[in-house]
Amino acid sequence: MSLWKIAWRSIQHRSLASGLTAFSMGLGVALVVAVIVIYGVLDQTFKRSAQGYDLVVGPPKGSALDTVLGAVFYSNQLSDTIPYNYFKQIDTGRYSSHIEVAIPLAIGERLMVLRGLQIIATTPHFFTKLRYLNDRPYTFYKGDNLKPGIRFDAVLGYTAAKLTKLNVGDKFKATANTIVPSDNYPEPAQFEVVGILNPTGTPNDQAVFVNLEGFFVMIDHFPTSAVDEILKRSSEDKGLVADSDDNNLRNEKIAQPETDNKTNLTSNSKNTIKSNDSNNSSVGVKSTQKSRATENQRIDNRRISAILVLVKKQELKGEIKKVDDRDDVVLEINEGLHGGERMDTWTTALAGRLIADLSVQVASPTREITRLFELIVGRVQIVLVIFSILVVIVAGIGMMVSIYNSMNERRQEIAIMRALGAKRRTVMLVILFESILLSLCGGLIGVVIGHSLIAVLGPIIASAVMVVVNPLHFQLAELVLIPGLVILASLVGYLPAVVAYRTDVAQSLNP
Amino acid sequence: MLLEIKKLQKSYQLPDGESLPILEIPQWEVEAGEQVVLVGASGCGKTTLLHIIAGILRPSSGHVSIDGWDTTILTEAERDQFRAKRIGYVFQTFNLLQGFTALENVMIGMTFANGRSDKHRAKELLEKVGLGHRLNHKPAHLSVGEQQRVSVARALANKPKLVLADEPTANVDVGNQQQVIDMLRNTCKEENVALILVTHAPEVAKQFDRVDKLAEINVVISKRA
Ligand SMILES: Nc1ncnc2c1ncn2[C@@H]1O[C@H](COP(=O)(O)OP(=O)(O)OP(=O)(O)O)[C@@H](O)[C@H]1O
Ligand SMILES: [Mg+2]
């Protein structure tokens, strides 16, 4: 019979008092568990969603945080767009030697919202070259990735698929954004679901991804007043769009009078559109030359919302000077925009160059999110954790009182053990073990109640912050409870244990 | 010689600072395996003497040696360990641990002696005292006689050299009294354990070959007079 078992028998012997004591401890622990798990999941969802790439290149308007929230969390509309051309420069152009992966995203005003879910136009590389949550590859629950080229493919996040009840092979209409103040909505293009992602625990679960090239074609063929509006606005930007583009754009508008909204893209067949002349009577009468010219203009005028960039980590030796030729900018960035949590030299250098050369904003998603999280959510968590810990401590004091009170009736029991040859240290340990076992039981009860609490709170959290907290999601930080409770129990059990230690055998023993 | 007491003195310190002498025993001995009855008026110091022999109390002066060990010069922890291994104690009020089954009550003393318990021997002992069928019963569910039998089994669990029994039948009805005494004497004999039994009952005392009167061993009383 181990001392643990002896302690456990004492607990059983006083089952009601022990149960109540453990339960009160459990309530305290439940609060700690609920706070740890809920905030842990929020923290992971936020911070880790921002992992997987080093930089977000977005429109110069708005703050870095806005850019990240828009491009990573799809939570707000990006205030502006950047030329698709920038992506070309980064992906295959002059910056490409410093880039591991670049992924263009078109989100926001020009794209549609499908039953409240954000539609994001991107390339198939999004799912093959990016990793999520610390280097996990995207996998498909059903179907497959978007295919390259001008296609009208769509990939749904796991939750998005559930919410829309769309399955692989289903088609959906991507309605134009409701912000557009026009009666002339384009006939919605139909996208076909080709794949559904496995759950990732990131905002991508609730997103609908469509093929960027297909999206561009759709926009090209169905310029609405909204698109006009955006194109006009963007041509005023200090971007790549020159004045002549603007003229050409107007020409095209004249060339293509308001026929667009009557054209049904889906009847054009979704995967085969290469140019704009098939099945389009109004375009068909135009000369092919003109058509080609406008086609090029369209491509030049293409705009996207943001670019996700994974920087190539090159050999540091020798190379550094070449990239780092803009010391001033680099320094400024490292101390200003990206101060504090320092980015590595390569990322910093590239960010510096992009800001200097292009009309963009460059943000480090992990940094922005960490800062946001620590600023708001982190502080709330600290306060809640402190309160919960106080509750646990109060429960611990309750436990001390309970055990201490029981010591009077237990003097006899302790004296018997001593008479049987137990050392002072041994009876002291039995009491300490009892305290530890009681609080660990309380911990167990607390974990169960805590997770049940999460099950109850889950739907509320889900609707409030769009983060699904699984009640069976165990947070590593919960393990802290074990040493924490053992330490608390040792402190709490110390006083009664000393009473046990000091018990006078001869006086406490009934003859 | 199993137990040898020499020039033993014990006085209690009273709250008013005075010291109350209880025992003064120049010499007292018990052989290995011997069975001795100790009798004496209430309050004459029988329990005090057993406590001292068991090492629960320290004498004010003098020496107690058991099985060759002078227990008075051992530290408290050493005496605890010594008691666990060589001395069995049977109490008037049984002093069973209420939260533990009969079997566990026997095993718990083994834990304190060796850090582990021999379930097999514990069962064997309980069978020997006729409780083989009540192993997993808690004291509250045992009759008074059965409880005392558990405490006898517990006293013998660690194969002690000496069993001290302080009025073991005072709380047991007459019907059970003889049964408990017989069982105690027989098991002690079988295991070759010496027995010092305190009793007020003449019918118990007269069964023993050796009956010592504390008043005769203890010179405090004659000095007081
Ligand atoms: N801690 C103590 N402080 C002071 N006096 C004590 C203490 N313990 C016992 N005594 C006294 O010592 C004397 C002997 O006590 P003890 O319990 O040894 O007697 P006893 O022979 O066992 O009596 P009984 O037959 O009634 O059990 C008693 O007078 C008692 O009052
Ligand atoms: Mg007595």
Side-chain angles (χ1 to χ4, degrees):
Chain A
M1 247 172 111
S2 67
L3 294 187
W4 287 105
K5 189 163 180 194
I6 294 172
W8 181 243
R9 282 280 180 273
S10 302
I11 291 175
Q12 284 181 317
H13 188 48
R14 272 165 283 275
S15 49
L16 182 65
S18 305
L20 289 175
T21 310
F23 185 71
S24 72
M25 178 62 83
L27 288 181
V29 172
L31 279 181
V32 176
V33 166
V35 170
I36 287 180
V37 171
I38 291 173
Y39 278 85
V41 170
L42 290 185
D43 181 272
Q44 265 179 352
T45 310
F46 278 97
K47 283 190 192 159
R48 286 193 164 179
S49 302
Q51 287 173 353
Y53 30 90
D54 302 307
L55 297 172
V56 177
V57 178
K61 284 187 196 168
S63 71
L65 182 60
D66 285 340
T67 306
V68 171
L69 287 178
V72 179
F73 295 93
Y74 320 127
S75 64
N76 65 341
Q77 306 258 306
L78 288 169
S79 54
D80 204 355
T81 53
I82 53 174
Y84 181 58
N85 190 296
Y86 283 6
F87 166 69
K88 286 278 169 61
Q89 291 184 43
I90 291 174
D91 190 40
T92 50
R94 53 178 166 156
Y95 305 105
S96 61
S97 60
H98 309 304
I99 303 284
E100 189 76 47
V101 182
I103 306 285
L105 296 179
I107 326 157
E109 278 184 36
R110 298 168 73 197
L111 252 181
M112 312 115 297
V113 173
L114 178 67
R115 288 181 219 176
L117 300 167
Q118 187 71 59
I119 301 183
I120 296 116
T122 186
T123 61
H125 288 166
F126 189 100
F127 303 107
T128 53
K129 297 206 170 164
L130 289 185
R131 297 270 189 270
Y132 72 96
L133 302 190
N134 266 344
D135 214 31
R136 287 189 222 178
Y138 287 96
T139 53
F140 285 84
Y141 170 66
K142 273 183 186 165
D144 215 340
N145 198 352
L146 305 169
K147 283 168 197 67
I150 304 167
R151 297 171 67 96
F152 293 87
D153 294 346
V155 161
L156 303 190
Y158 187 80
T159 318
K162 279 200 160 176
L163 289 176
T164 56
K165 298 199 174 67
L166 287 173
N167 212 329
V168 171
D170 289 349
K171 289 173 186 170
F172 62 88
K173 289 177 180 181
T175 48
N177 196 300
T178 48
I179 300 171
V180 181
S182 165
D183 300 328
N184 295 333
Y185 282 2
E187 190 67 24
Q190 289 216 26
F191 284 91
E192 181 181 339
V193 179
V194 295
I196 296 170
L197 290 170
N198 274 317
T200 60
T202 69
N204 293 332
D205 288 352
Q206 317 214 1
V208 176
F209 299 89
V210 298
N211 203 305
L212 183 67
E213 300 223 30
F215 160 70
F216 279 144
V217 168
M218 190 194 85
I219 292 285
D220 291 347
H221 285 255
F222 306 98
T224 63
S225 52
V227 179
D228 281 1
E229 175 76 20
I230 290 156
L231 290 177
K232 210 172 83 198
R233 243 199 300 156
S234 55
S235 65
E236 285 153 20
D237 279 358
K238 43 181 171 166
L240 294 181
V241 186
D243 282 348
S244 57
D245 295 342
D246 226 283
N247 292 334
N248 280 326
L249 184 72
R250 273 182 215 116
N251 291 343
E252 188 194 326
K253 267 163 75 186
I254 297 160
Q256 284 188 297
E258 309 286 89
T259 56
D260 316 36
N261 58 337
K262 292 185 196 80
T263 316
N264 189 339
L265 179 77
T266 50
S267 68
N268 288 355
S269 95
K270 56 194 185 334
N271 291 334
T272 53
I273 297 177
K274 283 279 189 307
S275 69
N276 56 355
D277 29 32
S278 62
N279 279 359
N280 191 322
S281 55
S282 62
V283 174
V285 293
K286 306 298 161 214
S287 76
T288 42
Q289 228 180 359
K290 179 96 187 172
S291 152
R292 193 154 295 145
T294 52
E295 177 75 19
N296 286 339
Q297 282 315 316
R298 280 197 201 104
I299 290 172
D300 277 352
N301 279 318
R302 286 174 174 175
R303 315 275 301 177
I304 54 174
S305 306
I307 307 164
L308 308 177
V309 175
L310 189 61
V311 178
K312 192 180 270 175
K313 306 291 188 293
Q314 285 136 318
E315 281 273 325
L316 213 72
K317 249 201 283 175
E319 280 274 342
I320 188 156
K321 272 261 141 51
K322 256 192 263 170
V323 186
D324 221 351
D325 50 1
R326 290 174 164 272
D327 282 344
D328 48 335
V329 179
V330 170
L331 275 178
E332 188 192 309
I333 286 164
N334 230 344
E335 277 159 23
L337 182 62
H338 301 285
E341 199 177 282
R342 286 184 148 243
M343 300 191 294
D344 65 277
T345 320
W346 293 106
T347 312
T348 314
L350 181 73
R353 281 191 61 181
L354 290 175
I355 287 177
D357 296 350
L358 307 173
S359 169
V360 290
Q361 162 143 253
V362 181
S364 158
T366 28
R367 182 175 147 59
E368 292 305 325
I369 292 310
T370 305
R371 209 161 58 174
L372 173 73
F373 205 83
E374 275 159 16
L375 203 71
I376 307 158
V377 189
R379 286 189 191 170
V380 174
Q381 180 183 19
I382 289 171
V383 171
L384 284 178
V385 164
I386 288 174
F387 269 107
S388 316
I389 287 175
L390 282 179
V391 172
V392 171
I393 289 175
V394 168
I397 292 171
M399 195 166 89
M400 171 157 77
V401 171
S402 162
I403 298 179
Y404 188 83
N405 279 341
S406 78
M407 290 313 287
N408 246 341
E409 54 184 273
R410 298 176 62 177
R411 238 172 252 283
Q412 167 77 0
E413 208 171 283
I414 286 157
I416 296 170
M417 291 189 194
R418 292 289 315 279
L420 293 175
K423 299 188 180 94
R424 282 186 194 274
R425 219 170 49 93
T426 308
V427 292
M428 186 171 178
L429 277 181
V430 168
I431 301 297
L432 271 185
F433 285 0
E434 190 178 323
S435 172
I436 289 170
L437 285 175
L438 262 185
S439 52
L440 287 180
C441 286
L444 203 69
I445 294 171
V447 168
V448 172
I449 298 180
H451 285 272
S452 316
L453 207 64
I454 293 165
V456 174
L457 293 178
I460 303 170
I461 297 168
S463 64
V465 284
M466 292 292 270
V467 173
V468 178
V469 187
N470 181 351
L472 292 179
H473 180 103
F474 284 85
Q475 202 68 33
L476 210 61
E478 284 177 73
L479 288 179
V480 173
L481 283 170
I482 296 173
L485 285 173
V486 168
I487 291 170
L488 178 69
S490 308
L491 293 176
V492 158
Y494 186 75
L495 188 66
V498 166
V499 173
Y501 186 89
R502 295 215 179 123
T503 300
D504 184 299
V505 186
Q507 271 178 14
S508 312
L509 205 57
N510 286 337
Chain B
M1 203 61 60
L2 178 78
L3 169 71
E4 201 171 0
I5 290 176
K6 269 195 185 135
K7 292 183 187 150
L8 180 87
Q9 279 195 321
K10 176 69 187 176
S11 22
Y12 282 116
Q13 212 65 37
L14 295 180
D16 56 17
E18 258 185 79
S19 132
L20 173 71
I22 302 291
L23 294 174
E24 188 176 339
I25 302 173
Q27 176 89 16
W28 194 57
E29 288 165 358
V30 175
E31 300 276 356
E34 200 179 2
Q35 301 197 337
V36 185
V37 160
L38 194 60
V39 294
S42 181
C44 74
K46 303 181 294 294
T47 299
T48 305
L49 177 59
L50 293 193
H51 277 347
I52 289 171
I53 295 170
I56 290 170
L57 278 179
R58 290 194 78 154
S60 307
S61 67
H63 291 277
V64 176
S65 90
I66 299 163
D67 204 19
W69 292 79
D70 185 347
T71 59
T72 55
I73 59 167
L74 298 178
T75 65
E76 189 183 39
E78 286 167 341
R79 273 185 284 131
D80 290 335
Q81 189 64 18
F82 187 85
R83 174 167 65 254
K85 290 195 162 165
R86 321 239 168 168
I87 294 171
Y89 217 127
V90 181
F91 303 90
Q92 176 181 336
T93 50
F94 324 141
N95 281 336
L96 295 177
L97 292 161
Q98 297 300 317
F100 297 75
T101 64
L103 189 64
E104 287 168 342
N105 262 286
V106 177
M107 280 160 56
I108 196 169
M110 297 175 171
T111 306
F112 298 142
N114 315 309
R116 65 198 142 73
S117 42
D118 182 348
K119 196 171 187 172
H120 186 71
R121 172 161 172 85
K123 272 187 188 164
E124 213 175 70
L125 280 166
L126 282 168
E127 274 158 19
K128 200 177 266 184
V129 299
L131 289 177
H133 59 299
R134 313 297 301 267
L135 297 179
N136 295 317
H137 290 239
K138 298 234 170 111
H141 299 132
L142 295 174
S143 77
V144 171
E146 285 168 337
Q147 289 187 48
Q148 192 59 307
R149 282 188 267 161
V150 174
S151 92
V152 169
R154 183 179 67 182
L156 293 165
N158 291 322
K159 299 198 167 123
K161 299 278 182 189
L162 176 64
V163 166
L164 308 170
D166 198 349
E167 303 186 43
T169 56
N171 283 359
V172 178
D173 60 87
V174 190
N176 273 312
Q177 170 173 295
Q178 193 53 45
Q179 206 189 348
V180 168
I181 293 292
D182 286 346
M183 184 210 44
L184 187 54
R185 295 193 66 181
N186 291 340
T187 39
C188 282
K189 195 172 226 161
E190 271 173 47
E191 309 242 341
N192 194 31
V193 178
L195 172 68
I196 300 174
L197 187 139
V198 170
T199 186
H200 285 290
E203 70 274 18
V204 171
K206 71 178 182 212
Q207 300 172 28
F208 283 74
D209 297 334
R210 179 175 164 189
V211 179
D212 286 10
K213 295 192 175 75
L214 186 57
E216 288 170 7
I217 312 163
N218 187 5
V219 299
V220 164
I221 296 159
S222 49
K223 273 187 184 170
R224 263 193 214 149

